Structures are given as C-alpha cells and as structure tokens.
C-alpha cells in the first residue's frame, strides 16, 4: 500500500485530472449550446484549459485582404459595428489593425481598449481610436513607409464573438500609375511592402482569409491571385465581392447578374474554395449615419429588393450583406473552437495516462512494507479514478461526436 505522503500526492494529482475531465466535459457538451452567452463563456474556460496544458492555440483569426480601395476597412467597421478605421483615402491603411473581440457580460455596449507602447491597454472611444489609426497612417504616409507592427485593439461586449479580425494594407496592382523611373521604383517598393505584411498575416494555416474583390468579372480577380501565393487551393479563403451597389448599376441583363452572383466561373477555377462569393456594400454615406449598422442594413435591404426585381427571384439573398460575411466568419470560429476542444481532450487523455502509469508503477520507497504493487481493488483510489475517468471520457467523446 502507499505511504500517507504518497497517497496524498497521488490523490492530489488524480483530483486535478478529474477536475480537468469535468471541466472539459462541461465545456465540450455546452459548446454545442445555441445560447450565445453560455457558448462564449465556455470558450473562455476552454482557452484557459488549453493554456494550462500548453496546447498551442490562436484565437480564431480572420484576415481581410484586398487591393487599395476595395473596401476592406469599411467591411471591418461593418463587422464590428463601429467606425474605427481609416476609410475613404487611397492607400490609407499602412499598418495592420487587429481587433480582438471577446465576450463580456458586463458590457452591454462595446468597450474599446487600445494597446500602448508599454503593452498595457487603455480604454478609448471609437472616435479616439479612429483618430489614432488615421494619425498612424498619416505618419507612415509622410515617410512613404509601411509598418508590420499591428495596432492592437480589444473589444469587449456581451454581443461579441470570440474572434480576431485583422485589416491589412491594400495591395497595389502591377498597373499602378506612376511617372518616371523614380516613381516606378517607389510604387514597386510600396507594393512589395504591402504584400509582405499581408503574407505574414495570412501565412498561419489556422487563419481564415477574407479575399475582397471589386470586380464584375470572376476571370479578373487580382486579390485572389495574390492570396493563392499562400493559400494555393483557397481552402481557407472566403471570397467577398465589395461595392455591390455599383455592380447592380452596371448590369441590366439578367444572365450577366446570374453570372456574377452565381460565381460559376469562380467555383470552376477554385473547387476547394472555402466560401463565397459573398457580396457587400458599405458606401461612405452610411459611415456618417448616427445608426451606422442600421444604415448599412437599410442599404442592403434596398439592394436585395433591387436584385430580386432584376432577376425575378431572391435566390441569392443568403449571399448578400455583412451578415452573410459575419456568418461565414463565425462558422469558421466555431470550427476552430471545436478543434481546440479535441486537442484539449487529447492533452487531458495524455495527462491522465501519465498519472495512471505513475500510480501503477510507484517509485522505489513509495510502497510500504516493500510490496511491489498497491491494492487495485474496486475500493482503491486507482480503481475509483479509472472508473470515474472512463465515464467522463465516454461523455466527452459522445459530445464531440454529437457536436
């Protein structure tokens, strides 16, 4: 039998593992709950569990990529529901803007926190944050430079999902206007700098890529070509066509609209595409409205009505609007959290197995009376741990399959 000190050590280890099993079972089973608050709170617990077990993990991150003036910054604002970015000026974004959203029951309205040079975060208003972003972009524009260091923001709200959105500098096309050899070199340097920042943001294989295109022809997709340098089969890319209002004004033929909205050419060119095409319209006029999201919503309703009238049906309704993009991002986020639950399950399994082996083969001197093994009867500590762990393990596996 164990000595008293060894029994206490073993009992404490088993108690910790059993507590982890219970927490993991609750997290995994409840993560499938449709209740937003419950699910988001459990994601917080799951992340803590992963950190405790040193399980590699990044909060689900979606990176917005587009050429300059494609509307990435405007879409970011619409997704978070706040006017916080630098929108409207050509080549405005010169540093990535990272917005880490997190659920917090204590914030009925979104609360923003900006990272300082010392690494601490201080509360800011949306107007203060926007002024900071614009000042940083103006500073870099004066230098003719880009900067890879992110402007980091935290957004807390009871309506937020546990996700990160990253706005990146607009890519420059090969046909960017320039005059003279010096100007050409400057444009090439700017294009290379922007592309390097974008590549660094989209290279992590767990990240979702929102590929923004301002195009009326899917055979002309410059951003998609740039993204494919990193995500060759586009299996983690969702294509988003921006400025839908302008596209609808261009087309009068029903078949042209079907070709654009259906995206058959896009599907043929990229059969493994994760999602899209989706369509958005966030005109600058909506940014000045007191009810920013309400104005965007009204704009999208008008576009959907116009589209339905032109093609005679609402078959593309699910592809139109910021809500469609948000749904795609949140579906990706849920899949990432499910993956973390599976990895955390394996980590707890491994920890349990190590403790089980240690209990069944105690070190020399830990066994009283020189016995070679301890009592493994049904009433013993190890047998109880085996039974309890097996029951909870079965529960976890069942929840994972059900989810």
């Amino acid at each position: 039998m164990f000595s008293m000190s060894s029994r206490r050590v073993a009992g404490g280890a088993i108690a910790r593992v059993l507590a982890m099993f219970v927490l993991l079972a609750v997290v995994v089973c409840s993560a499938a709950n449709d209740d937003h608050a419950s699910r988001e709170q459990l994601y917080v617990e799951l992340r803590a569990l992963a950190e405790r077990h040193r399980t590699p993990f990044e909060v689900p991150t979606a990176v917005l990529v587009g050429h300059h003036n494609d509307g990435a910054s405007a879409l970011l604002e619409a997704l978070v529901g706040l006017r916080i970015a630098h929108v409207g000026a050509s080549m405005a974004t010169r540093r990535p803007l990272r917005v880490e959203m997190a659920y917090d029951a204590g914030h009925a309205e979104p609360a923003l926190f900006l990272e300082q040079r010392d690494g601490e975060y201080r509360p800011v208003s949306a107007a203060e944050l926007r002024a900071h972003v614009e000042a940083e972009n103006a500073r870099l524009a004066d230098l003719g430079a880009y900067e890879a260091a992110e402007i980091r923001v935290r957004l807390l709200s009871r309506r937020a999902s546990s996700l990160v959105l990253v706005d990146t500098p607009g890519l420059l096309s090969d046909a960017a206007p320039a005059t003279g050899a010096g100007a050409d070199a400057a444009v090439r340097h700017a294009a290379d700098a922007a592309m390097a920042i974008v590549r660094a943001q989209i290279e992590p294989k767990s990240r979702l890529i929102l590929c923004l295109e301002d195009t009326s022809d899917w055979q002309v997709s410059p951003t998609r070509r740039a993204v494919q340098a990193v995500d060759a089969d586009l299996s983690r890319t969702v294509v988003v066509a921006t400025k839908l209002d302008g596209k609808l004004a261009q087309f009068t033929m029903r078949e042209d609209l079907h070709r654009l909205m259906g995206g058959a050419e896009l599907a043929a060119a990229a059969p493994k595409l994760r999602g899209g095409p989706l369509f958005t319209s966030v005109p600058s006029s909506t940014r000045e409205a007191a009810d920013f999201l309400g104005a965007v919503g009204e704009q999208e309703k008008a576009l959907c009505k116009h589209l339905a009238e032109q093609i005679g049906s609402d078959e593309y309704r699910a592809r139109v609007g910021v809500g469609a993009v948000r749904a795609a991002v949140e579906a990706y986020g849920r899949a990432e959290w499910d993956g973390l639950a599976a990895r955390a399950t394996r980590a707890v399994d491994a920890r349990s197995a190590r403790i089980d082996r240690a209990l069944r083969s105690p070190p020399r001197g830990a066994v009283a009376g020189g016995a070679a093994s301890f009592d493994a009867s049904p009433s013993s500590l190890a047998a109880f741990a085996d039974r309890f762990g097996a029951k909870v393990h079965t529960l976890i596996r069942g929840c994972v399959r059900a989810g």
Side-chain angles (χ1 to χ4, degrees):
M1 300 291 290
F2 280 135
S3 66
M4 288 301 294
S5 61
S6 298
R7 190 185 299 271
R8 283 193 295 271
V9 171
I14 288 179
R16 287 193 297 273
V17 171
L18 295 184
M20 292 174 194
F21 266 124
V22 172
L23 173 60
L24 188 58
V26 172
V27 168
V28 174
C29 293
S30 299
N33 194 323
D34 287 335
D35 179 68
H36 176 75
S38 299
R39 186 174 61 247
E40 292 297 329
Q41 186 58 47
L42 287 162
Y43 287 162
V44 173
E45 300 291 343
L46 182 55
R47 184 178 179 183
L49 181 66
E51 290 173 350
R52 194 178 308 156
H53 281 278
R54 298 181 178 87
T55 301
F57 180 69
E58 178 184 58
V59 173
T61 299
V63 182
L64 287 78
V65 180
H67 278 70
H68 70 89
N69 286 334
D70 276 355
S73 297
L75 180 57
L76 173 82
E77 289 188 325
L79 288 170
V80 302
L82 296 169
R83 292 177 291 158
I84 58 175
H86 194 172
V87 175
S90 179
M91 298 168 59
T93 302
R94 289 178 174 265
R95 283 183 67 182
L97 173 60
R98 175 189 175 94
V99 181
E100 181 170 350
M101 300 182 291
Y103 171 80
D104 191 311
H107 289 90
E109 297 299 325
L112 295 167
F113 301 84
L114 174 64
E115 185 182 43
Q116 308 299 298
R117 290 184 178 178
D118 60 5
E120 296 295 320
Y121 284 78
R122 72 172 181 86
V124 292
S125 67
E128 289 172 331
L129 176 56
R130 186 168 66 253
H132 175 79
V133 171
E134 291 177 351
E136 275 298 286
N137 287 326
R139 175 182 68 83
L140 291 167
D142 288 344
L143 298 173
Y146 289 80
E147 190 171 309
E150 299 167 332
I151 299 174
R152 290 178 165 246
V153 178
R154 288 178 181 163
L155 186 156
L156 303 181
S157 170
R158 66 175 58 170
R159 295 189 297 273
S161 298
S162 297
L163 295 165
V164 173
L165 297 174
V166 181
D167 183 22
T168 57
L171 299 173
L172 301 178
S173 67
D174 297 335
T179 56
D184 288 341
V187 170
R188 285 195 299 271
H189 176 75
D192 291 344
M195 186 61 202
I197 292 173
V198 168
R199 285 188 68 113
Q201 287 289 343
I202 65 176
E203 278 180 344
K205 295 189 180 301
S206 63
R207 293 187 174 185
L208 181 73
I209 303 168
L210 295 179
C211 173
L212 276 61
E213 298 280 14
D214 181 10
T215 184
S216 301
D217 182 353
W218 289 119
Q219 293 182 344
V220 182
S221 302
T223 305
R224 173 161 55 92
R225 289 199 301 271
V227 166
Q228 283 184 295
V230 176
D231 183 24
D233 61 3
L234 302 178
S235 58
R236 54 190 181 92
T237 297
V238 174
V239 172
V240 181
T242 59
K243 304 179 182 179
L244 179 60
D245 51 331
K247 310 295 186 301
L248 295 185
Q250 281 182 265
F251 294 126
T252 57
M253 300 292 289
R254 182 175 297 184
E255 53 269 28
D256 291 337
L257 280 171
H258 279 297
R259 187 178 301 114
L260 174 68
M261 303 298 296
E265 293 170 321
L266 179 61
K272 294 186 178 180
L273 179 71
R274 183 182 181 99
L278 306 178
F279 299 85
T280 64
S281 176
V282 188
S284 58
S285 59
T286 62
R287 298 186 71 249
E288 305 308 319
D291 180 8
F292 173 44
L293 287 184
V296 172
E298 289 301 316
Q299 163 82 3
E300 291 175 347
K301 286 181 183 177
L303 289 175
C304 286
K305 180 180 178 182
H306 180 61
L307 178 63
E309 290 171 350
Q310 285 190 284
I311 66 174
S313 76
D314 61 355
E315 62 181 292
Y316 299 119
R317 178 64 187 87
R319 292 189 174 190
V320 176
V322 173
V325 179
R326 184 180 295 110
V329 173
E330 290 180 349
Y332 147 78
R334 286 192 295 272
E336 287 295 296
W337 284 113
D338 287 347
L340 175 59
R343 294 195 297 276
T345 298
R346 291 193 292 269
V348 172
D349 285 348
R351 178 77 176 273
S352 175
R354 286 196 299 272
I355 291 178
D356 182 69
R357 287 193 298 270
L359 286 172
R360 296 184 185 282
S361 302
R364 190 179 301 276
V367 180
S373 62
F374 60 87
D375 181 10
S377 66
S379 61
S380 71
L381 180 63
F384 170 78
D386 287 343
R387 293 198 313 276
F388 189 92
K391 294 289 187 183
V392 179
H393 186 272
T394 300
L395 174 63
I396 293 171
R397 293 297 185 193
C399 291
V400 170
R401 285 195 295 272

